[in-house]
Amino acid sequence: MRVTANREVCVGAGMCALTAPEVFDQDEEDGRVHLLTDNPLDEQRDKVREAERLCPSRALAISG
Amino acid sequence: MAEPTSSPATTHPADEIPMRRGCPMRPPAEYADLRANGPTRMRMPDGQPVWAVTRHRDVQAILASPDFSADNRTPGLPLIKPEAQEVLDNPTFLRKDPPEHTAERRTLIPEFTLRRVRRLRPGVEHATAGLLDEMLRNGSPADLVESLALPLPSLVICQLLGVPYSDHEYFQTRAGAVLSRSSTPEQTSTAYSELFAYLDDLLTRKQRHPEDDVMSRLATEHLKPAGDFDRETVIRMCTLLLAAGHETTANMIALSTVTLLERPDLVAVLRDQPDKRSDVVAELLRFHSIADVIPTRVAVRDTEIGGVTIAEGEGAIALLAGANWDPEIFDVPERVQIRAGDQRHLAFGYGIHQCLGANLARMELEVVLPAMFERLPGLRLDAPVAELDYKYDGVVFGLHSLPVRWETPA
Ligand code: SF4
């Protein structure tokens, strides 16, 4: 699984960091999404999918 | 577009939206039919035709769509209450589209991140304890709205923005007028301009003597010439934060109290299982869906939503309580229950306009609800649930007051 985050559309709601804190963080400076890894572990996949569905600005994309 | 008619707030034609709740503890019963039907043509109080959107997936689709405008200045945007022209012409970023919306929201994102909100938590705990101390000193009975539900979010947003809490009566009454559907356009506009003048003055003080707060950062970093925004834009940003920070959380605290008083099992969860507090709060947010009627939109091009085409220029209202009570998503929606880890509710809206203060609001609720039940033993209502003073006239649903009693040591 590969994750990408489009920081240009991110509205900083932080649903991703709330849902999968091992994979997503909010940038200390601008509050927008910051990927901790683009290749989540197997056990993180469900949370990452959930985060992708919850993201209100559809900033997250998953492939593979 | 139909001629605007001024229908008194008490008459409700069957096809008028927003509808009055029958039971205050649930969305209007008609939403079930609307969901079955899909997007449905109805009318706003001023007579304007509008698509009522209620299914979870349709509400999500419309609020995430770039094909709809939230801007007051886009012709055809449905109005949930009559507004004066100058208010419509000068929206806050809640009622603007990208790129203006993006620039203003981005400036404020760092102030409301999870990390920042976690840092605010000890202050919120302290403020909660202080208000509860005062309630205990003044003794039972009390109005919970006046003594806790309203002052807590007010203290928090004041501290965050850098607004002196001693002025809270002044801006609370104005924020109340702005958010009441019984206010005339003149009353709303007067309330707005008084809030504006107050914040204008305060901004000048922040420019001279900046402190560690949002208004000072806006004054020193984001206001022209150092930053990108003109004075009016900055003041309107502050107006929105001040007004939104108050009423919404206050209404959630009061309504949640009513619900929890009937559910000692959930009070026990709040007390004994701190890791489940976020689930209880998410469920209360879903159940009450107080911002139900806020997200109105207008199509900027023909767009298909839920099997119908919403044509360019046609208005829509995305009913959050409709989505949050969609049985396809939430099993037995009328039952308040722990839905572990489920954050699919749309109580904060969805899309780029999703509530900026959501993390803060959740944290405030997670702090205040358990603390209140812990500190006020034997808490109970001092009036029947059916006779409480509900905000049927609110842009946001809630309670004007909440009489409560508790046991005092003999
Ligand atoms: S959930 Fe989406 S909008 Fe929110 S911070 Fe994460 S990427 Fe950004």
Side-chain angles (χ1 to χ4, degrees):
Chain A
M1 175 190 267
R2 292 276 164 186
V3 197
T4 51
N6 182 348
R7 289 177 35 84
E8 284 315 301
V9 303
C10 169
V11 293
M15 290 307 295
C16 53
L18 192 69
T19 309
E22 311 80 11
V23 181
F24 306 102
D25 194 7
Q26 287 182 283
D27 189 271
E28 179 86 54
E29 279 287 307
D30 66 17
R32 283 185 268 157
V33 60
H34 173 68
L35 272 184
L36 298 172
T37 166
D38 62 357
N39 189 6
L41 302 173
D42 281 356
E43 65 262 33
Q44 295 163 340
R45 288 183 179 192
D46 287 351
K47 295 258 181 195
V48 170
R49 282 200 192 89
E50 181 72 4
E52 186 257 342
R53 275 193 294 270
L54 291 174
C55 170
S57 67
R58 310 220 160 145
L60 307 177
I62 295 172
S63 58
Chain B
M1 194 167 56
E3 275 297 300
T5 55
S6 60
S7 64
T10 42
T11 61
H12 289 273
D15 68 344
E16 185 177 304
I17 203 91
M19 289 174 171
R20 191 186 154 98
R21 291 186 183 209
C23 168
M25 292 295 153
R26 53 183 55 208
E30 293 85 347
Y31 284 15
D33 285 340
L34 288 172
R35 260 193 312 265
N37 203 33
T40 305
R41 288 296 259 175
M42 298 189 71
R43 278 176 195 287
M44 297 300 286
D46 64 3
Q48 190 197 335
V50 66
W51 289 99
V53 178
T54 42
R55 290 177 188 150
H56 188 277
R57 62 169 183 273
D58 296 344
V59 168
Q60 244 184 342
I62 197 168
L63 294 181
S65 168
D67 300 328
F68 287 85
S69 166
D71 196 314
N72 269 348
R73 298 160 297 183
T74 312
L77 188 88
L79 300 178
I80 30 184
K81 67 193 277 274
E83 300 279 19
Q85 196 56 44
E86 78 238 44
V87 174
L88 297 178
D89 289 342
N90 297 290
T92 64
F93 65 92
L94 182 68
R95 292 295 182 192
K96 286 183 186 174
D97 294 334
E100 279 179 286
H101 167 269
T102 321
E104 291 179 47
R105 179 165 178 135
R106 266 193 197 163
T107 305
L108 294 168
I109 289 173
E111 309 286 353
F112 294 94
T113 57
L114 280 171
R115 193 178 277 114
R116 188 67 69 85
V117 163
R118 279 186 196 124
R119 260 185 247 142
L120 294 172
R121 191 176 184 121
V124 173
E125 287 168 347
H126 184 78
T128 304
L131 290 167
L132 286 165
D133 286 344
E134 202 175 307
M135 282 185 80
L136 288 163
R137 265 199 307 278
N138 295 336
S140 167
D143 173 7
L144 192 90
V145 170
E146 190 189 299
S147 48
L148 184 66
L150 197 51
L152 180 69
S154 185
L155 277 165
V156 173
I157 196 73
C158 284
Q159 206 184 20
L160 197 86
L161 271 177
V163 172
Y165 183 69
S166 49
D167 295 339
H168 74 276
E169 264 191 41
Y170 184 86
F171 48 78
Q172 258 166 27
T173 47
R174 271 91 189 155
V178 167
L179 286 170
S180 170
R181 282 197 273 141
S182 353
S183 303
T184 62
E186 294 70 36
Q187 285 167 330
T188 306
S189 141
T190 307
Y192 256 124
S193 37
E194 286 171 351
L195 266 181
F196 190 93
Y198 171 81
L199 289 165
D200 192 1
D201 210 49
L202 189 57
L203 191 64
T204 307
R205 280 187 273 157
K206 299 287 179 188
Q207 285 175 285
R208 295 202 187 116
H209 309 287
E211 291 165 281
D212 181 14
D213 56 51
V214 175
M215 270 191 91
S216 297
R217 281 189 282 280
L218 288 171
T220 55
E221 293 166 31
H222 300 289
L223 191 61
K224 283 179 181 162
D228 293 335
F229 298 123
D230 58 34
R231 193 170 183 88
E232 191 175 318
T233 304
V234 168
I235 295 166
R236 294 208 192 279
M237 286 159 88
C238 298
T239 320
L240 175 60
L241 296 184
L242 193 58
H246 265 87
E247 286 263 337
T248 44
T249 313
N251 288 325
M252 265 313 293
I253 295 172
L255 289 172
S256 299
T257 304
V258 177
T259 299
L260 289 170
L261 283 173
E262 290 175 7
R263 294 293 301 274
D265 59 320
L266 291 177
V267 175
V269 170
L270 282 176
R271 184 188 60 220
D272 303 331
Q273 302 181 62
D275 58 324
K276 294 229 174 93
R277 282 180 189 158
S278 61
D279 286 333
V280 176
V281 165
E283 178 65 351
L284 291 164
L285 287 161
R286 178 197 72 79
F287 183 77
H288 291 294
S289 296
I290 59 170
D292 183 29
V293 300
I294 289 191
T296 56
R297 297 290 185 268
V298 55
V300 293
R301 57 188 68 82
D302 294 5
T303 309
E304 199 245 276
I305 296 286
V308 307
T309 298
I310 302 187
E312 178 183 340
E314 287 182 345
I317 182 164
L319 295 160
L320 302 179
N324 284 343
W325 282 57
D326 188 338
E328 265 193 38
I329 305 288
F330 302 104
D331 188 38
V332 202
E334 62 277 17
R335 169 123 187 119
V336 180
Q337 56 187 307
I338 300 222
R339 301 172 193 268
D342 190 341
Q343 292 283 349
R344 289 176 298 171
H345 73 76
L346 305 179
F348 292 115
Y350 194 71
I352 60 169
H353 288 89
Q354 188 183 63
C355 176
L356 178 65
N359 294 319
L360 179 62
R362 272 191 285 256
M363 183 267 279
E364 288 183 48
L365 291 165
E366 282 175 31
V367 168
V368 70
L369 295 175
M372 172 180 79
F373 282 99
E374 190 194 309
R375 297 284 310 279
L376 305 174
L379 184 67
R380 61 186 187 276
L381 294 187
D382 203 16
V385 177
E387 285 165 31
L388 299 173
D389 193 4
Y390 296 97
K391 289 185 182 169
Y392 291 110
D393 59 346
V395 168
V396 176
F397 192 70
L399 281 158
H400 289 288
S401 62
L402 183 59
V404 293
R405 285 188 173 274
W406 61 94
E407 268 136 42
T408 41

